[in-house]
Amino acid sequence: MESPDYVRVSTAADMMLGFSRCRFSRNAYPYCINLLLHFNDGCKANCLYCGQAREVAKGPLCKTLIRVEWPLRSLDDVIERLRRFLGNGCSFRPYRVCVATITNPKAVYAEIEVIRRVYKELGLPISALITPTLFRKEHMKELRNAGVERIGIAIDCASPEIFDMLRGKRARGPHRWSRYLEGVVEAVEVMGRGKVGIHIIVGLGETEEEAVKLIQWAHDIGAETHLFSFYPEEGSVLQDWPRPPIGQYRRVQLARYLIDSGISRYEDMKFNKYGQIIDFGVPRLELEEIIESGLPFVTSGCPGCNRPYANERPSELPRNYPYVPQGEEIEIIKHQLRLYTPPYNSKEALTNYLASRGLVPVPMVSR
């Protein structure tokens, strides 16, 4: 029961396809069906914030990922249910399928084969979420030829030091910052500008300035940025790490929108001593109109991807709105944007957190 014949399905997609019963808060239906590869020997990476990390999962057991469980389903059943769903005339229908890999030697073949089958049977736009650790430029071309319309690469960490600490050598993992950036460039070369997205998880010890600098880099080479707000995965090393302050997340959301829309740039923005954004490089009245539109605070991702409540529980106000916020929600967002507190989730705090759990990072060697 492995990929490509079996895949894991996000809780929302599982409900949408009728595998399990559901009720969607505020009618925030998912417009993207998220699939995840599965192998009996699990993921070989060891990202310290992930429920699938090698030293946490210890095999095929899939703990929560992005806050929810991912039931294992037959790919044929998923395709058949999608076919029926698309043909029943329902006004709420999926617009896209996203196939995400894990770090396993069998993943390259399985990802290409899953995408080939889904595209052949359904013809829906398909996104492939890949790791450059395994996928080289020639594999990206195979994905494109199999039906992929967009490629996503989850860099997650916004600075090389934090990446190494949570995903690389110091986390006893296989991923390397330089290879991830190289992989993004390769993906843009294969897919074209505007057809590649990077993921950043806000709240892993980076400053707002570091996040914005990476967003600008991605934009300049032709990629977009898809933002997530850190949510602690039970059982992971970072299960007790705090979620980022909402002011921090809102400011990075707004900066991402301004950069990806070509309205402002990192070089035009100003930051305080904590690396927090204090000037977005946009005239006040224009900035107010942009905030009033609510668009900067909607889920950022591939077209049709709204990831409802991936970063919070449905009982909470969304961090990524699966719809365009209006009225009172905009007033709350304005207040949140003005919240500045000394960051309790800094790189130094992260280092101390890991040290308190016996995971003292190997010192960086100056060169």
Side-chain angles (χ1 to χ4, degrees):
M1 297 177 65
E2 289 189 323
S3 298
D5 296 321
Y6 287 82
V7 291
R8 294 195 177 276
V9 184
S10 72
T11 294
D14 201 64
M15 293 174 173
M16 192 77 167
L17 295 176
F19 285 112
S20 51
R21 301 184 65 178
C22 69
R23 183 173 65 86
F24 289 96
S25 177
R26 305 176 198 175
N27 291 326
Y29 296 93
Y31 292 110
C32 178
I33 298 300
N34 293 98
L35 309 180
L36 177 68
L37 299 187
H38 169 78
F39 304 104
N40 291 334
D41 55 342
C43 185
K44 305 305 180 184
N46 200 44
C47 306
L48 301 188
Y49 49 84
C50 182
Q52 292 192 108
R54 183 185 68 245
E55 294 178 3
V56 171
K58 301 184 185 303
L61 179 62
C62 180
K63 296 181 182 293
T64 60
L65 180 66
I66 318 178
R67 204 186 67 77
V68 298
E69 295 179 355
W70 293 65
L72 185 64
R73 307 294 184 192
S74 160
L75 179 61
D76 287 342
D77 286 347
V78 170
I79 291 173
E80 180 56 33
R81 285 175 182 255
L82 257 173
R83 183 185 291 112
R84 282 185 281 161
F85 197 102
L86 295 173
N88 68 6
C90 180
S91 58
F92 298 105
R93 63 187 297 274
Y95 294 112
R96 173 176 300 275
V97 174
C98 181
V99 183
T101 189
I102 62 174
T103 306
N104 186 291
K106 293 173 277 189
V108 173
Y109 161 74
E111 178 100 344
I112 294 168
E113 181 62 15
V114 168
I115 287 166
R116 185 190 66 80
R117 294 185 197 177
V118 172
Y119 185 73
K120 179 181 178 181
E121 297 293 333
L122 302 171
L124 282 171
I126 299 177
S127 298
L129 184 60
I130 64 171
T131 167
T133 302
L134 297 176
F135 287 78
R136 301 292 162 163
K137 192 172 183 178
E138 61 269 23
H139 302 134
M140 298 177 194
K141 292 178 180 178
E142 290 186 66
L143 288 168
R144 181 194 62 197
N145 295 339
V148 163
E149 188 240 355
R150 291 174 183 256
I151 284 178
I153 295 176
I155 299 177
D156 291 350
C157 308
S159 79
E161 186 173 2
I162 292 174
F163 186 101
D164 195 51
M165 191 184 300
L166 296 180
R167 309 195 71 189
K169 286 184 179 179
R170 292 192 283 175
R172 298 180 295 279
H175 300 315
R176 299 295 179 264
W177 172 265
S178 60
R179 174 56 201 152
Y180 263 68
L181 298 195
E182 181 182 58
V184 177
V185 174
E186 291 173 352
V188 173
E189 291 172 349
V190 171
M191 302 302 299
R193 297 180 68 88
K195 296 292 185 178
V196 176
I198 67 166
H199 289 189
I200 297 177
I201 300 176
V202 174
L204 291 177
E206 80 291 339
T207 64
E208 295 171 28
E209 183 173 7
E210 287 173 321
V212 173
K213 189 174 183 179
L214 181 58
I215 292 167
Q216 186 68 61
W217 173 84
H219 175 75
D220 288 347
I221 67 164
E224 300 174 343
T225 298
H226 308 160
L227 287 182
F228 294 74
S229 177
F230 172 74
Y231 190 99
E233 298 282 0
E234 185 178 354
S236 71
V237 173
L238 262 60
Q239 67 175 358
D240 297 318
W241 181 248
R243 297 161 72 182
I246 188 61
Q248 175 186 356
Y249 192 65
R250 291 288 183 237
R251 287 188 291 275
V252 176
Q253 278 183 308
L254 182 53
R256 181 215 63 84
Y257 181 85
L258 295 172
I259 291 171
D260 278 0
S261 300
I263 299 170
S264 187
R265 294 184 55 83
Y266 161 73
E267 296 85 355
D268 298 328
M269 299 182 188
K270 296 179 182 178
F271 305 85
N272 65 17
K273 65 178 182 180
Y274 297 114
Q276 297 166 322
I277 306 166
I278 55 175
D279 188 332
F280 289 91
V282 177
R284 182 177 61 83
L285 292 179
E286 182 181 356
L287 188 64
E288 288 179 359
E289 288 180 2
I290 292 169
I291 294 169
E292 286 282 353
S293 75
L295 295 176
F297 315 104
V298 174
T299 300
S300 51
C302 298
C305 179
N306 57 344
R307 299 194 305 270
Y309 308 107
N311 295 156
E312 64 284 310
R313 298 185 181 280
S315 59
E316 301 176 313
L317 285 173
R319 294 200 169 207
N320 291 329
Y321 280 86
Y323 53 85
V324 180
Q326 301 177 42
E328 184 180 352
E329 290 171 319
I330 295 296
E331 295 306 311
I332 293 172
I333 288 170
K334 289 179 181 178
H335 171 72
Q336 293 170 336
L337 282 165
R338 295 191 295 268
L339 294 176
Y340 289 87
T341 55
Y344 51 71
N345 58 344
S346 65
K347 187 184 306 179
E348 181 181 5
L350 178 64
T351 302
N352 293 336
Y353 174 95
L354 296 177
S356 71
R357 283 150 179 79
L359 296 167
V360 180
V362 177
M364 296 288 283
V365 178
S366 300
R367 296 186 184 277

